[in-house]
C-alpha cells in the first residue's frame, strides 16, 4: 500500500475510533431523554438506551470515516 494511502486510511481510522468513543455518550443521553419523555420518567432498569446508542455512534463514526477519506482524496489526488 502506498504511503499516501496508508496515511489517509490511518487518519480516517483514528477519526472513526475517536467519533465512535466520543459520540456514544451524547446518543445515550439523547435516548434516555426520549425514553423519559415517552414514559414520563427515566427507567433505570432497562438497557434499551445503552444498546440503541451503540449503532447510532457506529453510524456517526462511519460517516466521519467516509468524509475523512473523501476529503483527503480530494486534497491529495493520486498522481498518474
Amino acid at each position: 500500500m502506498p504511503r499516501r494511502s496508508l496515511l489517509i486510511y490511518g487518519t480516517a481510522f483514528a477519526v472513526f475510533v475517536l467519533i465512535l468513543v466520543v459520540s456514544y455518550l451524547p446518543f445515550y443521553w439523547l435516548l434516555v431523554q426520549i425514553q423519559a419523555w415517552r414514559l414520563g420518567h427515566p427507567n433505570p432498569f432497562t438497557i434499551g438506551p445503552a444498546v440503541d446508542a451503540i449503532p447510532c455512534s457506529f453510524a456517526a463514526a462511519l460517516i466521519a470515516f467516509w468524509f475523512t477519506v473523501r476529503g483527503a482524496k480530494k486534497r491529495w489526488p493520486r498522481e498518474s
Side-chain angles (χ1 to χ4, degrees):
M1 181 178 268
R3 184 179 175 123
R4 184 170 294 169
S5 294
L6 188 63
L7 179 66
I8 289 171
Y9 286 106
T11 304
F13 181 74
V15 168
F16 173 83
V17 171
L18 180 70
I19 297 296
L20 184 66
V21 170
V22 171
S23 68
Y24 174 77
L25 290 176
F27 279 121
Y28 177 75
W29 178 83
L30 177 68
L31 292 169
V32 166
Q33 297 305 316
I34 290 172
Q35 180 189 36
W37 170 72
R38 202 176 76 209
L39 296 175
H41 61 85
N43 187 355
F45 301 107
T46 63
I47 61 168
V51 173
D52 292 337
I54 294 169
C56 291
S57 61
F58 189 76
L62 280 177
I63 292 169
F65 178 85
W66 182 72
F67 275 118
T68 303
V69 170
R70 184 175 158 221
K73 285 187 176 183
K74 280 185 176 180
R75 176 172 272 173
W76 299 309
R78 183 176 287 182
E79 298 160 356
S80 300

